[in-house]
Amino acid sequence: MSFPILLSSSSVFPEPTAAAFELAAKLGYDGVEVMVWTDAVSQDAGALRGLTRHYGVPVGSVHAPCLLVTQRVWSSDPWVRLRRAAALAEQLDAPTVVVHPPFSWQREYARTFPTGIATLQTRYPQITFAIENMFPVRMARREFNAYSPGWDPTTTGFDAYTLDLSHCAASRTDSLKMADKMGRQLRHIHLGDGTGEGRDEHLVPGRGTQPCAQLLESLGERGFSGSIAVEVSTRRAVSRAEREADLAAALEFARAHVSAPVPG
């Protein structure tokens, strides 16, 4: 037994969500993480089920619309967006919903975030709501916290986390140490890389400075039992062939280094 390796639909941008299913099937990924964004297909359970049937690739996780560019997807109310993301995951039999911490200007949402997530977990007990580590914003040699109460969700404490290695690089945090802080609540991984330049790079794993191989090799002994979504940026690829090559390299890296779960 090993961990499912998913292809995040954000990894094929600017191609549409459907291309993620096509490439996941072609390259041999175990499934797709759907990034819910302005592409109507990413918001539609029927369309996504159709892609799953056509390509034989399941949806393994849903990324709720938490980005700046998705603040109007479905609703301007962040709780409506999370509830709809949960309903979408339920309809697709996806076990994980990825959630970002609130932005610092979302004061009421931030105030009720921990209790609201707990309420969602009660409403959807079959779904894991995995809160993702983010990173500070750096401008003109100054650092700004764009999230409330901060970019590191372990300081608040949640039942489940998503570990994003590119975000670790952007926050100049060692992903092994972040995994240690998340402990047994580490339930999902966004596999990418970065150089520590203070920005979110989402490089192919192994092309930055994060200990990607060591992290993957440690998963079995950590008791990890979730999934791994390759989340890399290919927007600068000059051709479909170059995009495919990067996504194939990321999958090969993951398969080469991931450890099997330790029998309990």
Side-chain angles (χ1 to χ4, degrees):
M1 178 182 178
S2 189
F3 310 112
I5 310 297
L6 313 175
L7 176 62
S8 169
S9 60
S10 67
S11 297
V12 305
F13 184 83
E15 293 194 61
T17 302
F21 286 83
E22 176 191 353
L23 288 173
K26 180 177 182 179
L27 298 175
Y29 280 82
D30 299 313
V32 167
E33 174 170 300
V34 173
M35 170 71 79
V36 179
W37 65 300
T38 55
D39 180 359
V41 170
S42 73
Q43 306 171 28
D44 189 310
L48 293 168
R49 280 196 297 262
L51 289 169
T52 288
R53 288 193 298 268
H54 181 75
Y55 290 107
V57 177
V59 175
S61 53
V62 170
H63 195 309
C66 302
L67 304 173
L68 281 173
V69 296
T70 59
Q71 294 297 291
R72 296 288 177 178
V73 169
W74 285 332
S75 170
S76 60
D77 184 336
W79 286 120
V80 172
R81 295 199 300 272
L82 288 194
R83 287 193 293 269
R84 292 193 62 170
L88 181 65
E90 183 178 55
Q91 293 174 74
L92 298 170
D93 295 320
T96 304
V97 171
V98 177
V99 184
H100 288 184
F103 287 112
S104 57
W105 57 84
Q106 296 174 309
R107 294 181 181 177
E108 180 61 19
Y109 177 48
R111 186 183 67 80
T112 59
F113 188 67
T115 55
I117 291 294
T119 300
L120 276 176
Q121 189 64 77
T122 300
R123 168 65 180 82
Y124 297 94
Q126 77 283 14
I127 295 173
T128 296
F129 295 88
I131 315 304
E132 185 173 0
N133 63 295
M134 301 306 290
F135 54 92
V137 176
R138 295 183 176 90
M139 298 176 61
R141 299 184 181 180
R142 295 184 62 190
E143 185 172 290
F144 301 89
N145 177 25
Y147 301 93
S148 179
W151 55 265
D152 179 358
T154 67
T155 60
T156 298
F158 293 94
D159 291 337
Y161 298 108
T162 294
L163 173 61
D164 188 303
L165 280 74
S166 176
H167 293 175
C168 285
S171 64
R172 296 171 182 163
T173 303
D174 186 299
S175 56
L176 290 171
K177 294 180 179 179
M178 181 61 74
D180 289 343
K181 292 177 70 176
M182 292 179 172
R184 293 283 177 165
Q185 285 70 50
L186 172 58
R187 302 293 294 278
H188 188 62
I189 291 171
H190 279 168
L191 182 59
D193 209 339
T195 61
E197 292 184 353
R199 59 188 178 88
D200 194 13
E201 297 170 280
H202 286 289
L203 303 178
V204 171
R207 298 182 185 176
T209 58
Q210 280 295 306
C212 299
Q214 297 94 314
L215 186 280
L216 294 176
E217 290 163 1
S218 75
L219 292 180
E221 64 187 34
R222 290 179 185 277
F224 181 76
S225 59
S227 54
I228 300 164
V230 166
E231 193 180 72
V232 298
S233 176
T234 64
R235 69 183 61 194
R236 294 185 179 179
V238 298
S239 65
R240 167 60 83 87
E242 184 176 325
R243 174 166 293 115
E244 286 186 24
D246 280 348
L247 298 179
L251 177 60
E252 182 181 6
F253 184 98
R255 291 253 167 86
H257 293 289
V258 74
S259 68
V262 175

